[in-house]
Structures are given as C-alpha cells and as structure tokens.
Amino acid sequence: GESVGLHLPTLSVQEGDNSIINCAYSNSASDYFIWYKQESGKGPQFIIDIRSNMDKRQGQRVTVLLNKTVKHLSLQIAATQPGDSAVYFCAENTPQGGKLIFGQGTELSVKP
Amino acid sequence: DSGVTQTPKHLITATGQRVTLRCSPRSGDLSVYWYQQSLDQGLQFLIQYYNGEERAKGNILERFSAQQFPDLHSELNLSSLELGDSALYFCASSVEQRSDTQYFGPGTRLTVL
C-alpha cells in the first residue's frame, strides 16, 4: 500500500552533535511534508513542515530539506540535546488532502 | 500540550467486546482524524471527519466506525475486538477540511486480552 519509506533504524549521537534523520517518500504528487517527534507514551508532536515549492526551511535548531528530484526529505537537528531523544516520523500529504501518510520512524538516542 | 484531548488513556478489554474511544479537538478545529499505531504497522490513517461529515477513509475495518458530533467531539467505536486490535489510537485535529498541520492527542492505549 501507500507508504513513506522509512524503516525504523536507530540513530545514536553524542550530546551537542548535529543529527540528520532521513526519509524517502513514494508519492511524487505529495506537496506537503511534516516531521513529528514522538516521545514514549505520548502522541506525535509537530516539529516543522515544508511545502513542495520550497527546498529548505529552518526552525529553532531544526532544518528540513526537501529534494523532490529523488523524493527525499531530511531533518537536521543542531546541537542535539538529551531531550531530543524520541522517535521521529516524517509524513506526507497529497493535494487531495486529508490523511497523512507516515513513515515507520527513526529512533534518536542522545548520549550525554 | 496540543490541545487535543482523548479519553480514556488506557483501556483493557476482552476479545469480542466493544469499546468507544473519545476525542475532543482543539478549540476552533473542525476536522478530526483517527490513526492507529501498532508495532508492526506504524501510524495508519483510519478516518477523517470534517464538521460532522465523513471526509476520508483509510484502512479502517468494517468492525470499526466513527462519528463526529455537533459539538465537534468525535468517537471511534471498535467492535468484535480481536487480539490484533491492540494498539495505540490517536486522534488529531486541524482547522480546515484539508489542513496539513494536524495536532495529535495523547492517545488511547487499547489492550485486548
């Protein structure tokens, strides 16, 4: 079925380092992408989004990059902190709207 | 805190039973979405309601149904429960019918024994 192709790897980084989490999406018609953070026992929390007419968007300590040519999305977290430890999901939305299609998630582990 | 509330937080029941999960969207949001999160399937979209009407359907089983009430809260009904229905069920809300940014509630953890 439809999927945003994200396996569930684990990324382990040292506190203070930068983190990069990658995502491949499958639907070339998707025009909106979101990164969510999910901590244990909680619901997904919105981090940052980007529309398909952009290739980069920056937030506070986070940057999302979009490469439509290869259908690739990445989330960069600067100066990673222990509080950033969580599972990160990318999600896509198509012009038809409504549902978000989620990837499988990447678990980020930050070592102090 | 996203502003989306869900009750109950945990639910333990037996196979064959029926349960109702409740969601209150953020103030002002007209769209409500239901998602199921299981270990082997990740986050899967179930159904969307906008201002009381069904707008989109995902891989929702026939044993499952939902509705959105005039006060915009929503309920997800799961019947003839099976062991495989054990999962986290999330509700999300957004302002418009197609509003890309969806805000998620804390979820209901359903355990079917």
Side-chain angles (χ1 to χ4, degrees):
Chain A
E2 298 171 301
S3 68
V4 176
L6 186 64
H7 302 289
L8 189 57
T10 298
L11 177 63
S12 184
V13 300
Q14 204 71 37
E15 181 178 0
D17 287 352
N18 296 333
S19 303
I20 299 177
I21 301 172
N22 296 303
C23 173
Y25 63 94
S26 58
N27 191 341
S28 57
S30 292
D31 63 351
Y32 180 72
F33 305 88
I34 310 177
W35 281 99
Y36 283 94
K37 171 186 179 183
Q38 187 175 22
E39 296 174 280
S40 181
K42 297 184 178 180
Q45 175 189 353
F46 173 86
I47 302 174
I48 192 169
D49 59 359
I50 189 168
R51 297 201 176 275
S52 59
N53 61 353
M54 303 172 68
D55 53 20
K56 180 178 180 180
R57 190 161 190 230
Q58 287 184 292
Q60 187 177 13
R61 281 202 307 119
V62 294
T63 300
V64 55
L65 299 178
L66 175 63
N67 185 331
K68 295 182 290 294
T69 302
V70 294
K71 293 188 287 186
H72 183 267
L73 196 65
S74 69
L75 176 69
Q76 300 177 359
I77 305 174
T80 314
Q81 302 168 0
D84 295 327
S85 294
V87 176
Y88 289 80
F89 294 94
C90 65
E92 63 180 310
N93 203 345
T94 64
Q96 288 73 36
K99 65 178 181 180
L100 291 173
I101 302 168
F102 282 84
Q104 290 296 309
T106 294
E107 183 172 5
L108 176 64
S109 176
V110 182
K111 297 177 289 186
Chain B
D1 184 0
S2 67
V4 179
T5 61
Q6 289 186 249
T7 56
K9 190 169 177 62
H10 300 280
L11 198 49
I12 301 174
T13 189
T15 55
Q17 295 299 305
R18 172 190 167 95
V19 297
T20 297
L21 313 183
R22 183 187 169 102
C23 167
S24 292
R26 295 187 318 158
S27 178
D29 284 1
L30 299 178
S31 265
V32 169
Y33 312 78
W34 286 97
Y35 291 85
Q36 179 192 57
Q37 185 176 38
S38 58
L39 287 175
D40 59 344
Q41 292 292 322
L43 270 159
Q44 298 285 322
F45 169 75
L46 295 177
I47 198 164
Q48 177 200 4
Y49 276 81
Y50 174 75
N51 205 20
E53 295 190 7
E54 182 184 306
R55 277 291 180 257
K57 229 172 182 178
N59 297 324
I60 187 167
L61 299 172
E62 286 190 10
R63 300 183 285 109
F64 296 1
S65 65
Q67 53 185 329
Q68 186 179 28
F69 295 87
D71 67 352
L72 301 177
H73 91 271
S74 178
E75 293 180 355
L76 179 67
N77 300 296
L78 315 176
S79 62
S80 303
L81 286 167
E82 302 175 359
L83 296 177
D85 297 328
S86 295
L88 276 164
Y89 291 84
F90 289 104
C91 168
S93 74
S94 66
V95 176
E96 301 291 343
Q97 177 174 334
R98 191 231 164 160
S99 190
D100 302 314
T101 306
Q102 298 177 20
Y103 295 90
F104 282 75
T108 293
R109 180 174 291 280
L110 173 67
T111 303
V112 182
L113 301 175

